Each structure stands twice: as structure tokens, then as C-alpha cells.
Amino acid sequence: MHPEILRDKPGPCPICGMDLEPIKPSQDDSEALREYHTWAKRFWLALIFTIPVVILAMSGLHYPKIQFLLTTIVLFWAGANLYVRAWTSVINRSLNMFSLIGLGTLSAYVFSLVALIFPQIFPDSLKMEGYLPLYFESAAVIITLVLLGQMLEARARGKTGMALSALIKESPKRARRIDSDGEHEVNIDEIKVGDHLRVLSGEKIPVDGALLEGQSHVDESIITGEAISIKKEKTDKVIAGTMNLEGSFIMLAEKVGSETLLAQIVDMVAKAQRTLPPIQRVADKVSRYFVPAVILVALVTFALWSLWGPQPRFINAFVYAVSVLIIACPCALGLATPISIIVGVGRAAQIGILIKNAEALEKLEKVTTLVIDKTGTLTEGFPSITDIISKEPVTSGKVLQIAASVEQGSEHPLSKAILQESKKKKINTLAVQNFEAITGMGVKANLENTVALVGNQALLKKFQLSIAQYLLESAQKLESQAKTVLYVVEGNDVIGLLAVADDVKPTSKEAIEGLHKLGLHIVMLTGDNEAVAENVAHDLNIDEYHAKVNPLEKGLWIERLKEQGDIVAMAGDGINDAVALAKADVGIAMGTGAGVALESAGVTLVHGDLKMIARAILLSHLTMRNIWQNLFFAFIYNCLGIPIAAGLLYPFWGITLTPMIAGVAMSFSSISVLLNALRLKKVSI
Ligand SMILES: [Mg+2]
């Protein structure tokens, strides 16, 4: 997280104390959850030994040596690496939560140990019922709670390294190479630039290159996000990982291995994932100021008691100064953040927002700019019929029926849109004969006693058909909205037309409005053409858009915005968005999208409903506020205890810090933190 820190083995970061991330992201689940399991083990170990310490201390049975033994195990076995973190924070002079925990628990431990070994050096006035106060159980409880917090946090941070394995699955493993002695199926690594490869129908294109022979339609949605297949002829470029839909062809390998576009996406997602800056934890921010303040109070306490206190001055001064350090250590500090995050993440899941890493929830409230993909994110992602216009007296139902009947045999995405619409409207298709596809124009088939055509304007020209003026005008209007127009012909008569477009999702407009109300700047990036992009951007009132943007450029746009100082969220659904999703401060994937997009993003909208983004941002606000409240509760009772520990009340009422006061502060703050965090569960968003 601090990129300048490089180590040859796993461990904590010397600056922030967080676990270091591997340079090569892990590719399986167990690896990703390892951190969680390690913390869980430490927590359970600490808990098992802490419970008897608390029972002994509270019950008045004492057995101080047993308390000492068990606490030693909790602190220096289960909690050992908390002290490593505390120590590194001190030598690096970047005080954080661990510094405070280390200082407080060690003070409690050392004080109790000294009291155990040398009880005679303490004046009788400090003893209660003949016993010196021991704080073993405070130290043990604090360490156990911090371990619990770390465990919860590790669980909330969860899996991050999964995007790559999902991406790597998309890349083809084998290719069909044409050698001088015939065709051979070879491993993808053996393909070199200049090789001739055969790609059969239904196969993935193995490397980037150009068509040499044959023609086909290729589904490039994996890379471009556009659902409509693209016709490929000689010299056209093809991209590794995309799907050859029909017909076989021979291609020339032009880019192989790490040079292919897909490999570059993999590489950039990997880079983006390990260079995201850390979130500065609120608990650390508070600790940074609190630690020096507490040390100062302890020193002042020591000075005052050693100057003006009762005899033995030095011992009394030591006791009161250490008491300040003991009470100041907030036991609920380690819990304050993770508990709110866990409850917040749970609340989000109830409304269909899956939050994969805690950082996403913490950062959402700070987002200033939302970058958003078009196809599949703002729009449905597949073409559908948007308008049917018929020539009187023909009904629109009839137009659709003829079109659907003719298109029955076709595999084209536009035909799918027509068939889907007729199914939706429960229109029966008629029997057809002699189906024929007219390349680049449309389709033709014989109905019972006439011929029917569905296609574009070129088709009308070919058959020299005239079209009514008002149909022509409607067609022009629809085309100006970036819709594809198909004419439907029965006999020699153009009976109507259908408009096809990738329609905007019904929730998109309201979602954008809501996000504008939150003051977000909205930028649309799409691989689609200018006309379609302009139309959607205008319809949805999007502030800024850029068309014909390829997957790597999407990532560059995110970088540019971040350089300007924007906090950027990116919403997308495809592999073409993966780089941008990983680079953004918060990646938001549509649950309906590609696996890679889901893995690259920190947030998933299960139903692909963009309105959820505004609700997620609201939840982020509430969660962060909840964390601040928790920190208040974590500190307040202990802060109230500081004057008592410093001996401020002693001259008047003889009240000093006792383990009971420390225990009350601990339980009040922990319970307050828990109850406060649970309020998030019922919050309305
Ligand atoms: Mg898309």
C-alpha cells in the first residue's frame, strides 16, 4: 500500500502497520483468505486465555501468578505481531492505533508485574484489602478485542486477487496452426508473429491478428462491451479472446503472448490492484494526536506528584503516571472501525449491494466523479425493438408478425430482437419457405402466397421498392436518434418499419438525476460510436462523454481524472471496463456483467440497477459517521478516567484509579460501540 516499501516475505508495513500485499496477486480463494485465518487463530487463542484471567480478577480469587502467566501468553504469543506493529510505528515516527494499544497494554502489564514481584516498594495507601491493584486482565482484554477487530477487518477486506484468474480464464489456451505439412493444434505459447492460424466457427480467436482468407461474424463483446457482432473480411483485424460466431477463416498472427490486447488488460488490472493508495484509517488519525497527548499528560502527572506529592514521592509519581497510560488505552479502539464496516456491509447486502472490500465502503462518500460505461451499464446491453411504425391500414402487430416470421431462421442479433419482441407481444409467426440471407442487406423468405423482406435501405434499392413519404420521414427521425431502422416488405409493398436500439435501462435516468443531486460529475466512456454516445448522453443528461474509447484508454481516463484531484468511482459491466474498474478509487460492477468486471470492482450492484449507487454513497456516509461515533465512545469513558488516574481527585476524596474503574470504562466503551454499530443495521437508505 505504500509502494516504496518492498519486502521479500509477507509481513506488516513499517509505515501503516497493515499487512503487505503480494506483488503477484494470488489466484485462489484460500490464498486470499489466509490473512483472515491467521488473525482468527490469534483471536481464539487470546480469547481462551483471557477468559480465565478475567474470571480470576473479577471474582476476587486473584491468583496473581496465574493471571501473570496467562496474560503473558495472550500478549506475547497471540498478540505478538501487534507489538511488532507498535514498535515499527515508533521507530518510523508514524504513530497509529497500534502505538496506542502497545503503550497502554504494556504499561498495564509492566506495572502489574512490578507490583507482583516487588509489592514492598509500594506504599500501603495504594493497597486495597491488602492487595496492590493488578491490571493483567485489562491488558489481556484489550489485546483480545484488538485481535477480534483485526480478524473482522481482514474478513471485510476479503478477496482482491481474483480478477486475474477470471481474466486468464478468458484467454484461449490452444490454436490451430497451418504449417507446410498441414494443420496442427498447438499450445498458445508456440504461436509466433507471422504464423497462419485457422479459426473454426464457435472457437475463440487465439491471438491478435488480421484475416487472410474467408469471412465471418465475430462477437467482440468481451473486449468492446458491444453486443452486436461485427462482420470480418479479408485484412480486418481480430482480437484474441473474442468469439468467432460463424464460418471458419484463416488469420495472420500479428501480436502474441504479452502483446495481445487481452494480455495487456490482465497486466494493467494487476498493476492497478497493487498500486491503489491505502485508505487512511480514522482510528489511526485519532491515535496520531492522542498518543503524544497521553504521554504528555503522563509526564505532567509524574512531574507534579514527584514535586508536591506525598512520600514516597517517586513511587507515587510512577504509579499515577502509569495509571494514566493504562486508563488511556481505549479497548474498543480496535473494534470501532471493523464493527461498523461489517454491519454496513451487511446492510448493503440486504438491498442488493455487495461490497467486497471495506475500502470501497469507506471511500464511496468521498467520490466526486462517477465514470460510467454505456453498453450494459446505462443500457440493457443488447438490441431490442424500440419503435414499430406501420403504413395504414396495416397494424403494427402485422408488421411485427411478418418480420418475425421471416427472421425465424436467422441468427443475427437484430433478428433475436425482433423474435423477442414478438414473443413478448404473443404474436404467432407464420410458416415460411425459401429463407435467404442477402449479405449486408437483410433477409428474404416466401410466405403462403407472397414474398416478404426485412432489411435496410440498400435492400429496398436492390428490389426497386418505393416507400411512402411519411415512413421515410419517420425512418430519418429514428436514425437521427442513432437507432437502426429495418424496413418490412410484403409483396411489393413497404408495410412498415422497425427501429432497433440498445435501449437505456428504465432506472438509468432516475439514477443519474439522483447522482447529480449528490453533486457528482458524471462522465460516460463507451466503445460505441459518436452518434449513439451523443444520443444516450443527451437523453440522460450526462455531463461529459467520450466515444470510441478502448479498454486501455478507459483506464487512462480514470488516471487523468485522478490526477486532477477527483475521487473517481467507475461503474461498468464488461472485460473492457476491468482496467478502469481496478484503477478507480471505487469500482462498481453490474451484477449482470462479466466475471472479470465483478472481480475487479469493490462493489457489485446485484440487479445492475444504477439507482443503488446513490444509496451506496449514502450508506457510506452513514457508516463513516457511525465509525466516528464509535471512536467517540471508545475514547470518552477512558478520557473521563484520565483525571482520576492522574490522581486529580486524590487530594480531595482519596479516589485513585483502581482495576474496577478501568474495567467499567472498558465495558462501557465496548458496549456503547457495539450498540451504536448495530444501529446501522436498521438505518433507512
Ligand atoms: Mg459494457
Side-chain angles (χ1 to χ4, degrees), residues 221 224-226 373-379 381 554 572-577:
S221 61
T224 62
E226 303 305 320
D373 161 59
K374 181 186 72 74
T375 313
T377 305
L378 284 166
T379 68
K554 282 194 178 189
D573 71 313
I575 293 182
N576 60 323
D577 301 314

Side-chain angles (χ1 to χ4, degrees), residues 239-275:
I239 308 169
T242 59
M243 181 65 84
N244 177 25
L245 293 179
E246 35 191 86
S248 84
F249 58 80
I250 297 173
M251 66 174 283
L252 175 70
E254 292 181 334
K255 284 180 179 165
V256 302
S258 61
E259 296 292 301
T260 67
L261 186 57
L262 191 63
Q264 286 183 43
I265 293 178
V266 171
D267 188 46
M268 293 191 64
V269 168
K271 277 201 187 118
Q273 280 190 334
R274 65 168 186 266
T275 51

Side-chain angles (χ1 to χ4, degrees), residues 350-383:
Q350 285 172 350
I351 57 169
I353 304 168
L354 300 185
I355 296 173
K356 195 171 59 181
N357 57 52
E359 281 88 347
L361 187 61
E362 295 188 43
K363 268 192 186 167
L364 263 170
E365 69 153 6
K366 299 192 181 70
V367 165
T368 56
T369 303
L370 175 68
V371 175
I372 198 162
D373 161 59
K374 181 186 72 74
T375 313
T377 305
L378 284 166
T379 68
E380 298 285 4
F382 46 84

Side-chain angles (χ1 to χ4, degrees), residues 320-367:
Y320 287 107
V322 171
S323 301
V324 169
L325 299 180
I326 293 171
I327 191 73
C329 182
C331 74
L333 177 65
L335 274 183
T337 304
I339 197 95
S340 299
I341 298 266
I342 289 268
V343 178
V345 166
R347 180 73 185 92
Q350 285 172 350
I351 57 169
I353 304 168
L354 300 185
I355 296 173
K356 195 171 59 181
N357 57 52
E359 281 88 347
L361 187 61
E362 295 188 43
K363 268 192 186 167
L364 263 170
E365 69 153 6
K366 299 192 181 70
V367 165

